[in-house]
Amino acid sequence: MPKKVSFFNFSIYPIISREQSYLDQARIRLLYYGFFLVFVASGALFLSVYFQGQRLLAYTAGCLMFSVAILFKALTYRPNWSAISHILLVIGTLVNISIVYVSLQSINIVTVQVIIIVIVFSYYMLGQNWGLIYSLLNTVPVLLFLLIEYNNSYVLRIKPDKIDQATIIISLFANFIVLIFIQSHFYNSFLKNTRQLKESRDEQVKLNLELEKAIEKAEKSTRAKSEFLSTMSHEIRTPLNAVIGMSNLLMMGSPRPEQKENLEILKFSANNLLAIVNDVLDFNKIESGKLVFENISFDLLELMTNICGGQILKAREKGLQFGLELDHQLKNKVFFGDPTRITQVIFNLVSNAIKFTSEGNVWVKVTCMEDRHNKVMVKFSVKDTGIGIHQTNLSSIFEPFTQESLATTRQYGGTGLGLAIVKRLLDMQELHLDVASKIGEGSEFSFQMELPVSTVLPLVPKIDKPTEETHEGSLVTLRMLIAEDNMVNVMLMKKLLSRWEIIPVIAENGERAVEFMQYGNFDIILMDLQMPVMNGFDAAREIRKMADPKKATVPIIALTASAMVDIKDQVYDAGMNDYVSKPFKPDELIEKIQSLVALT
C-alpha cells in the first residue's frame, strides 16, 4: 500500500506507487475517475427527477451522490481500493433493489444496465469469487420480482415514481459512458499487464541464461581449483616424499651427533612444509562439501594421549609446561565417531596454543559432562598463557588465510587455516566452539561433543607393534613390483626396502607394470597413480582383467600424492586394495604390505 497521505489530498498521484502492479493501479484509477463520472451522472439524475417531483428517485440519487463523495474522499486519504470497492458494490446493490422494489416497482432498460455495470465492476475489481456473489445478489432479486409481477401478486402501498423520456435518456447515456469507461480502462490495463508479463518473462529468461553461465563458470572454476590443487599437491609432495624419506633413511643409519641435528632440522622443515600443504588440501576438501564423517570405534583416552604425545616435545622445546588431564570416567569405554576429525581439531588447537605461547603453560583437558550409559557428553578444552586475542578480532580468526594481525603473521608464520578448519569441522557436526581470551593472559578454546558409547566392552588383546626385525624376517622373500616414473622416488624406495632385504622390480610406467605381471609372478604391487604412457588406474584395471586368478587378485597399494577429494573412491573403483599418501611413513607402508600379503 502507498504511504499515508494528507486528509486534504484530492490528487491520484500520491495514492499510486510503482510497487503496485499494473492491475492494482488500474483499479485505483477506475475508482478515482469512475467516482467523478458516477457523481456527475447521479447529479444530473437528481436534478431531473427532483424538478419532476419524483421524491423516491430524488432521495435515491441524492444518497448515491453523498456516498460517492464520501468514498472518493476515503480513496484519496486511505487508498484501500478493495474495501472501498466492496462498500460501493453494496451501495449499488441496495440502490438497484430499492429502484426495482420501491421507487419504480418495475424493470426497465436502466435497471438492466445498472445490473450489468455492477456485474462487470465486481469481476474486474474483486475477482471471480466476489464477482459471482455480487452478480447473484443483483440478479436473483430482479428475477424474483419478475416472477412475482408475472403472477400479479406484487402489491406495495407506496405509489411508484414515473420517469419521463428525458430521464431515461440521461440514465442510458450515463450508464453507457460508465460501461465504456470500465471496459476501455481495463482493456488498456490488460494490455499493459500482458506487456509487463512479457518483459518480466524475457528478463527472467535472460537472468536464467546469465545464472546458468555463472553456475557453469563457477563449476569450471571449482574443477580447475580442484585439479590445480591436485596437481600442485602431486608436484610438491613428490619432492617432499624424497626429502622426508631420505631424512628417515639417514637417521636410521646411526649418524654422528652433528649430522643427526642437521637431519632433524631438515626433517622438521620438511614436515612444516607438508603441514602447510595438508592444511590447504584439508580446507579445500571441507569447502567442497565432500567430506564424510566416519563412525568407527576408538579409545578416546588413547587417542588424546597419541595426539598430545608429539606436541609435548614441541612444548618442551619452547620451555613450556604441558599438561594433559583426562577424566577417569572416560576410561575403559569404547566410543564411536570419527577419530581422524577429532585428531584434526585437537591437533590444530594445541598447535596454535604452543605456537602463540612464548612462556608459561598449555593445558589440554577432557571432561565427562554427562554419562547416559550409551551416550556421553564430552568437553574438550585447550588453554594457554599466550599472547591472547583482542575481543574485536575473535570472529576474524576463524576466516581462512587470516590471522589476528599482520604483525602476528610476520612473527609466528603459518597459513591461518588451522582455526578455519577447526571451525568448519565443528560446524559440520553442529557443534559450537567457545573462545575466552584476554590480551597478554592467554586463551581457552573449548567445545562439547556427544559420543555414542558401546554398552559391551570386548576384551581385545593388545598386539605389540611389529619391530624392524619382524619385518625383515617376514618380508625377505617377498616378490614386489613397483610402478614409479620418478627416479628419485625409485631410489628412495630401493634404499628403504633394502633395509628389509626386499629387492623390488621397477616398472617405469603402467604399461610396463602390466607387461611384468603378464610374464612374471609377484606377491604385491606398489602402484604410482600419475605416470606416462599408462596411469596407475588403467594399469590396475588391466591387471584385474588377467586370466590367471592369482595374478588378477594380486594385492595393489596405490602410492599417491594427489589431493583430489575422491581419490580414495577412485583407487578402490580401479580395483586396488589400499593406498598410501606421499610422503608416507615407513612403518605405515610396511604394515599395509604385511597385512595384504598375509591375506593372500
Side-chain angles (χ1 to χ4, degrees):
M1 181 181 289
K3 61 182 181 180
K4 292 182 179 181
V5 295
S6 170
F7 177 78
F8 298 100
N9 171 62
F10 290 95
S11 173
I12 191 174
Y13 298 108
I15 64 176
I16 289 182
S17 65
R18 292 183 178 181
E19 288 77 15
Q20 296 167 327
S21 66
Y22 280 130
L23 187 58
D24 288 347
Q25 292 180 34
R27 285 165 170 160
I28 293 174
R29 288 193 179 94
L30 175 62
L31 286 172
Y32 184 85
Y33 296 112
F35 280 141
F36 174 76
L37 291 176
V38 173
F39 185 83
V40 172
S42 58
L45 286 172
F46 174 79
L47 293 174
S48 176
V49 296
Y50 178 79
F51 288 112
Q52 295 180 37
Q54 308 294 336
R55 291 180 305 162
L56 294 176
L57 289 175
Y59 290 151
T60 303
C63 290
L64 183 60
M65 287 177 62
F66 180 76
S67 301
V68 167
I70 295 297
L71 291 176
F72 178 80
K73 182 66 256 172
L75 178 69
T76 55
Y77 178 52
R78 290 289 184 268
N80 188 341
W81 59 264
S82 177
I84 293 172
S85 298
H86 277 291
I87 296 172
L88 183 60
L89 285 167
V90 170
I91 293 173
T93 302
L94 294 174
V95 167
N96 187 42
I97 294 174
S98 67
I99 291 175
V100 172
Y101 281 89
V102 180
S103 301
L104 297 180
Q105 297 179 24
S106 65
I107 297 174
N108 56 29
I109 190 170
V110 176
T111 309
V112 174
Q113 275 192 328
V114 172
I115 293 174
I116 293 174
I117 290 174
V118 170
I119 292 173
V120 172
F121 182 82
S122 63
Y123 272 101
Y124 282 158
M125 292 299 295
L126 301 175
Q128 182 179 5
N129 294 334
W130 283 111
L132 179 61
I133 291 172
Y134 284 111
S135 298
L136 293 175
L137 288 175
N138 282 267
T139 55
V140 170
V142 172
L143 294 175
L144 183 62
F145 178 84
L146 289 174
L147 292 174
I148 297 173
E149 189 181 38
Y150 179 77
N151 295 321
N152 297 318
S153 58
Y154 185 77
V155 178
L156 194 66
R157 293 182 180 181
I158 300 175
K159 184 180 178 181
D161 288 339
K162 301 294 182 182
I163 56 176
D164 60 2
Q165 191 66 26
T167 304
I168 293 176
I169 291 173
I170 293 173
S171 301
L172 289 175
F173 185 75
N175 288 344
F176 275 129
I177 290 177
V178 173
L179 276 172
I180 291 170
F181 173 71
I182 293 174
Q183 294 289 353
S184 172
H185 189 76
F186 267 94
Y187 180 74
N188 185 47
S189 67
F190 170 76
L191 291 179
K192 286 184 178 180
N193 200 48
T194 304
R195 193 180 304 115
Q196 184 187 39
L197 289 174
K198 183 178 181 301
E199 291 173 356
S200 299
R201 185 197 64 188
D202 294 341
E203 186 177 354
Q204 187 66 40
V205 170
K206 183 180 178 181
L207 288 174
N208 287 340
L209 290 175
E210 292 178 356
L211 181 61
E212 289 177 2
K213 290 180 180 178
I215 292 174
E216 184 180 357
K217 185 178 180 180
E219 289 176 347
K220 286 182 179 178
S221 175
T222 301
R223 286 195 299 270
K225 182 183 76 170
S226 180
E227 291 171 1
F228 170 78
L229 285 173
S230 177
T231 302
M232 291 306 297
S233 166
H234 184 272
E235 296 302 319
I236 295 174
R237 285 180 182 230
T238 297
L240 272 178
N241 179 49
V243 173
I244 294 175
M246 286 298 182
S247 301
N248 287 328
L249 284 174
L250 290 171
M251 292 182 72
M252 292 165 66
S254 301
R256 297 193 303 273
E258 67 274 12
Q259 292 176 327
K260 185 177 181 181
E261 182 181 354
N262 293 337
L263 288 173
E264 286 176 348
I265 294 173
L266 176 64
K267 185 178 178 181
F268 177 79
S269 300
N271 282 326
N272 273 352
L273 179 57
L274 180 62
I276 293 173
V277 174
N278 286 338
D279 277 349
V280 175
L281 300 180
D282 285 337
F283 185 77
N284 177 60
K285 187 183 292 185
I286 293 170
E287 289 293 284
S288 70
K290 294 184 178 180
L291 186 68
V292 178
F293 288 91
E294 293 182 319
N295 189 29
I296 60 176
S297 61
F298 65 96
D299 186 326
L300 180 60
L301 299 189
E302 182 181 353
L303 180 70
M304 291 301 301
T305 303
N306 291 337
I307 295 171
C308 297
Q311 303 286 33
I312 292 175
L313 298 177
K314 289 184 180 179
R316 287 176 179 172
E317 287 175 1
K318 294 186 67 174
L320 304 176
Q321 294 293 324
F322 190 100
L324 174 60
E325 184 179 335
L326 303 174
D327 196 325
H328 70 278
Q329 294 185 53
L330 301 175
K331 292 181 179 179
N332 301 321
K333 290 183 181 292
V334 176
F335 293 87
F336 290 94
D338 192 333
T340 302
R341 302 308 161 195
I342 294 176
T343 300
Q344 247 180 319
V345 171
I346 301 299
F347 182 85
N348 276 304
L349 291 177
V350 175
S351 294
N352 262 19
I354 295 173
K355 180 194 294 186
F356 296 109
T357 303
S358 57
E359 59 181 13
N361 309 290
V362 174
W363 300 276
V364 179
K365 189 175 181 181
V366 183
T367 310
C368 176
M369 303 300 292
E370 185 180 0
D371 190 344
R372 296 198 298 271
H373 185 56
N374 62 337
K375 287 186 178 180
V376 175
M377 182 65 72
V378 181
K379 181 179 180 181
F380 298 87
S381 175
V382 178
K383 187 176 182 181
D384 62 66
T385 57
I387 60 175
I389 306 166
H390 198 279
Q391 293 297 316
T392 58
N393 296 328
L394 284 179
S395 58
S396 64
I397 61 173
F398 296 109
E399 294 300 319
F401 306 103
T402 302
Q403 291 185 343
E404 185 183 11
S405 66
L406 184 61
T408 303
T409 304
R410 287 174 176 171
Q411 181 176 354
Y412 296 96
T415 60
L417 278 176
L419 289 179
I421 291 173
V422 168
K423 184 71 165 57
R424 279 158 175 75
L425 285 175
L426 294 178
D427 286 345
M428 291 173 72
Q429 301 173 81
E430 298 182 355
L431 302 177
H432 179 68
L433 180 64
D434 294 311
V435 185
S437 184
K438 288 185 179 180
I439 295 294
E441 295 184 16
S443 307
E444 181 177 6
F445 292 81
S446 62
F447 64 94
Q448 294 188 24
M449 175 183 289
E450 187 178 69
L451 293 170
V453 181
S454 174
T455 55
V456 179
L457 297 177
L459 295 175
V460 181
K462 187 175 180 180
I463 301 176
D464 293 332
K465 188 175 180 180
T467 61
E468 186 175 327
E469 288 75 15
T470 306
H471 291 159
E472 293 176 358
S474 59
L475 300 178
V476 66
T477 59
L478 190 68
R479 295 168 296 180
M480 179 183 293
L481 173 64
I482 299 178
E484 173 66 72
D485 64 311
N486 187 288
M487 289 299 103
V488 176
N489 286 339
V490 169
M491 181 175 64
L492 172 64
M493 294 296 295
K494 284 183 175 179
K495 287 181 175 293
L496 179 62
L497 295 173
S498 66
R499 300 191 62 83
W500 302 307
E501 298 184 10
I502 300 174
I503 302 176
V505 175
I506 306 299
E508 63 271 18
N509 56 60
E511 186 177 75
R512 288 288 291 161
V514 174
E515 291 177 1
F516 278 126
M517 279 300 300
Q518 288 174 339
Y519 301 108
N521 294 307
F522 296 93
D523 299 312
I524 195 166
I525 302 174
L526 303 184
M527 183 78 73
D528 186 31
L529 297 182
Q530 296 187 17
M531 294 182 291
V533 185
M534 180 184 289
N535 62 46
F537 297 110
D538 293 337
R541 291 188 183 96
E542 291 297 320
I543 292 171
R544 294 300 182 226
K545 294 177 185 177
M546 290 183 175
D548 188 339
K550 188 174 181 180
K551 294 182 178 181
T553 58
V554 64
I556 303 176
I557 298 178
L559 301 177
T560 175
S562 174
M564 297 293 286
V565 294
D566 56 348
I567 191 67
K568 182 178 180 180
D569 295 333
Q570 293 183 35
V571 166
Y572 291 142
D573 289 343
M576 288 179 262
N577 303 83
D578 208 338
Y579 75 102
V580 175
S581 296
K582 298 177 183 177
F584 55 82
K585 298 177 181 177
D587 287 344
E588 179 187 3
L589 175 62
I590 208 66
E591 284 177 9
K592 292 195 174 187
I593 291 174
Q594 275 195 317
S595 62
L596 288 174
V597 171
L599 294 175
T600 57

